[in-house]
Structure formats: C-alpha cells, structure tokens
Amino acid sequence: MGLIDTTFAPIPTSLLADWGQNITYIKTTTPRVYDPTTGEVRGGDTPVTVKGVITRVSPRESEGLYQTTDLKVIIGTNELGTYYPTEADRIRYQQAGATREAKIISITTYRGDNPVYHSLIVRPQ
C-alpha cells in the first residue's frame, strides 16, 4: 500500500459519511443484449448503496463538453472496494422528492495503489 493510500484513503469515507447522501450505484455486470423481435433489453445489474455528494458541473471544468443539466457526483471506495466505475454503469438518486436515474459519461479516479475516490460526471435520463 502506497503513502497516498495510508494518508488519504480514510478522508473521503469520513467526509462522505458526514455530508453525503445515499445513492444507488448500479453496476452493469453482464452485457446488455437487445432482442429486436420482442424489443426487450436483457442484461444483469447489481445495485450497491453508496454515500456520495452531488453538485453541478462548473463551467470551468466542463470545457464546453457537458450539458447544463449534467451533474458531478463524488463517491468513495468504501462500498465499491477496488471496483472501478465504467460508463456502462448508472446511478439512482433522490432529487426534489423524486427518484432520478443518470448515466455515467465521464470518470476520474483519484488513487494510489488502490482507488481513494471517484469523481463522476453523470447525465440525468
């Protein structure tokens, strides 16, 4: 384990436990297959409850690549372990009393030998 892991790994867990909200992280565990005959999409998902902070994407960090409705979600690695988010995964969260779902469109992982936390850009669906 590297110095960054021993020094910084506990910080996101502590901050997210205090300030984060419950978010359902949906891992796409098997490839999705579309059946054109039935119109059905098949594939498996694994939901995991994680703590996260949801904010707006600032214009400085978007570089014109994101929509105004896109969100930035910071999640720790306590619940996901060494799993790295992928763009096939999604998140489900509460907003104004309604359950919303968003697709992950960009991922930045901060890490040493192991992930410390993940910063996701998501697009509400």
Side-chain angles (χ1 to χ4, degrees), residues 98-120:
T99 301
R100 310 255 187 224
E101 193 165 296
K103 180 180 178 345
I104 298 172
I105 59 172
S106 178
I107 305 156
T108 304
T109 298
Y110 297 91
R111 59 172 291 212
D113 292 333
N114 294 306
V116 175
Y117 74 94
H118 306 284
S119 178
L120 314 172

Side-chain angles (χ1 to χ4, degrees), residues 24-46:
T24 302
Y25 186 91
I26 304 167
K27 294 193 254 183
T28 301
T29 55
T30 60
R32 298 199 178 278
V33 179
Y34 175 69
D35 183 346
T37 307
T38 63
E40 194 175 345
V41 178
R42 294 188 191 112
D45 290 334
T46 303

Side-chain angles (χ1 to χ4, degrees), residues 4-5 10 14 27 58 61-62 73 75-76 78 85 92 95 112 115:
I4 192 169
D5 296 320
S14 175
K27 294 193 254 183
S58 77
E61 62 190 340
S62 74
V73 180
I75 60 173
N78 196 35
R92 192 173 299 132
Q95 181 183 37

Side-chain angles (χ1 to χ4, degrees), residues 37-89:
T37 307
T38 63
E40 194 175 345
V41 178
R42 294 188 191 112
D45 290 334
T46 303
V48 178
T49 300
V50 300
K51 287 286 193 176
V53 174
I54 300 174
T55 63
R56 294 269 180 214
V57 178
S58 77
R60 281 185 287 165
E61 62 190 340
S62 74
E63 298 174 7
L65 303 174
Y66 303 124
Q67 297 176 1
T68 57
T69 57
D70 291 345
L71 302 169
K72 183 177 192 177
V73 180
I74 297 172
I75 60 173
T77 58
N78 196 35
E79 300 90 350
L80 295 178
T82 57
Y83 178 82
Y84 283 84
T86 70
E87 291 176 353
D89 299 339

